[in-house]
Amino acid sequence: MTTPPHPTIAAAVASARAAFDGEGIGSPDADAVELAAFALGTDASEVRRRMVLRDAADAGFLDRYDGLVAERLSRVPLQHLTGRAFFRRLTLAVGPGVFVPRPETEVTAGLAIDAAREAGERPLVVDLCTGSGAIALAVADEVPGARVHAVELGPEAHAWAAQNVARLGLLVQLRLGDATTAFDDLEGSVDVVVSNPPYIPDGAVPVDPEVRDHDPELALYGRSRDGLAVPLAVAARAAVLLRPGGTLVMEHADEQGESLPAALRATGDWVDVVDHRDLTGRPRTTVAVRAS
């Protein structure tokens, strides 16, 4: 009688990858490996090393992994299963009630970081609609000496941001409140305002179940047919907070690459309005300078 071969980690990951691909999940390999890393209590590079070495998968790992794979196939977000999201140099705690930061937002954060570095040794930076705290924390991490403030309206999201600020030990002053009225004590003194506001047009339902069914509506919808009502209200607050010559960095939907810059120019508050593309080549982030 032949003993069946012991299952390997590589075989388990390959099976999950195929299942994810068949379900139309956008990053089947990365998701399969990240779930394996979580089930093993390690990182993705170690999983790939064990896959190359054809390490055996014990029963405990297989039970944990199979459960995680089943939940991912039901389109529970990967980050809700692992409780973590990777953003630039940081690992953030995330879960139900907070918008999961996307790779394209790393470009937005990078533009804010560049603007903060250009503003001097101790730039004052405000993140409006901070969500998990991703952008604010990235600025604090990558711009030594920056004085970073952030505000979030949703209580659950604010709790996740507070957890990230405490765990990472970065200097971010976090508040719970409305981005369109926040920081009356900072008016006219801010060097950089950055925001990834809700911008999905009303009536436009996200295609991905992970977004549609799991991200909070408060973080998604721009409260108008073109999706710009909230972004423009946030930009109006940014105009009050910024000093003359200060910089606004605002993320937007890829179809708003012309409409948001045009709307900002029309207010008379902004000059040097330039739109930037993300890593996929789509319009993603508008940068504007506060007029004198």
Side-chain angles (χ1 to χ4, degrees):
M1 182 176 178
T2 303
T3 302
H6 201 75
T8 63
I9 293 171
V13 170
S15 177
R17 182 193 306 123
F20 293 159
D21 190 44
E23 183 64 24
I25 290 172
S27 50
D29 180 69
D31 284 21
V33 171
E34 174 63 10
L35 288 178
F38 181 68
L40 289 167
T42 186
D43 58 28
S45 63
E46 175 63 14
V47 170
R48 294 192 186 279
R49 186 188 73 83
R50 295 187 190 185
M51 290 170 65
V52 169
L53 295 176
R54 309 297 294 179
D55 280 6
D58 62 37
F61 163 75
L62 291 173
D63 284 345
R64 291 191 298 275
Y65 192 55
D66 288 348
L68 291 166
V69 168
E71 289 195 80
R72 186 70 187 100
L73 286 169
S74 71
R75 305 308 287 263
V76 175
L78 171 72
Q79 297 84 356
H80 285 197
L81 295 173
T82 64
R84 63 193 183 195
F86 303 108
F87 190 82
R88 293 182 69 90
R89 306 192 312 194
L90 305 175
T91 301
L92 303 169
V94 296
V98 69
F99 184 82
V100 174
R102 306 296 198 263
E104 55 266 29
T105 302
E106 295 191 15
V107 174
T108 302
L111 291 166
I113 288 164
D114 291 343
R117 287 172 175 163
E118 292 170 4
E121 292 185 359
R122 285 180 49 78
L124 180 56
V125 181
V126 167
D127 180 6
L128 301 176
C129 311
T130 196
S132 65
I135 298 176
L137 288 162
V139 173
D141 177 48
E142 298 182 45
V143 187
R147 296 165 292 156
V148 184
H149 298 255
V151 65
E152 171 55 41
L153 179 61
E156 289 181 290
H158 176 271
W160 284 107
Q163 179 180 338
N164 285 318
V165 169
R167 184 176 55 83
L168 294 172
L170 294 166
L171 295 178
V172 173
Q173 300 297 320
L174 177 66
R175 304 185 191 183
L176 175 65
D178 188 337
T180 65
T181 58
F183 301 114
D184 55 359
D185 53 323
L186 301 179
E187 291 179 1
S189 65
V190 178
D191 296 300
V192 180
V193 171
V194 60
S195 182
N196 180 15
Y199 52 64
I200 295 177
D202 289 354
V205 179
V207 174
D208 292 339
E210 292 88 343
V211 178
R212 182 187 65 235
D213 301 334
H214 296 279
D215 277 330
E217 289 191 5
L218 186 66
L220 295 179
Y221 296 101
R223 308 298 191 270
S224 63
R225 179 171 292 183
D226 63 1
L228 292 180
V230 173
L232 291 177
V234 172
R237 186 58 185 164
V240 174
L241 293 173
L242 286 165
R243 59 169 176 80
T247 303
L248 169 67
V249 179
M250 179 169 282
E251 186 167 314
H252 57 71
D254 50 11
E255 67 269 20
Q256 295 163 343
E258 294 183 2
S259 58
L260 178 60
L264 291 176
R265 292 187 189 102
T267 66
D269 291 331
W270 309 100
V271 296
D272 299 332
V273 182
V274 179
D275 204 63
H276 297 259
R277 294 179 179 270
D278 62 23
L279 297 177
T280 67
R282 296 187 178 102
R284 184 60 57 197
T285 308
T286 298
V287 177
V289 174
R290 180 68 172 97
S292 298

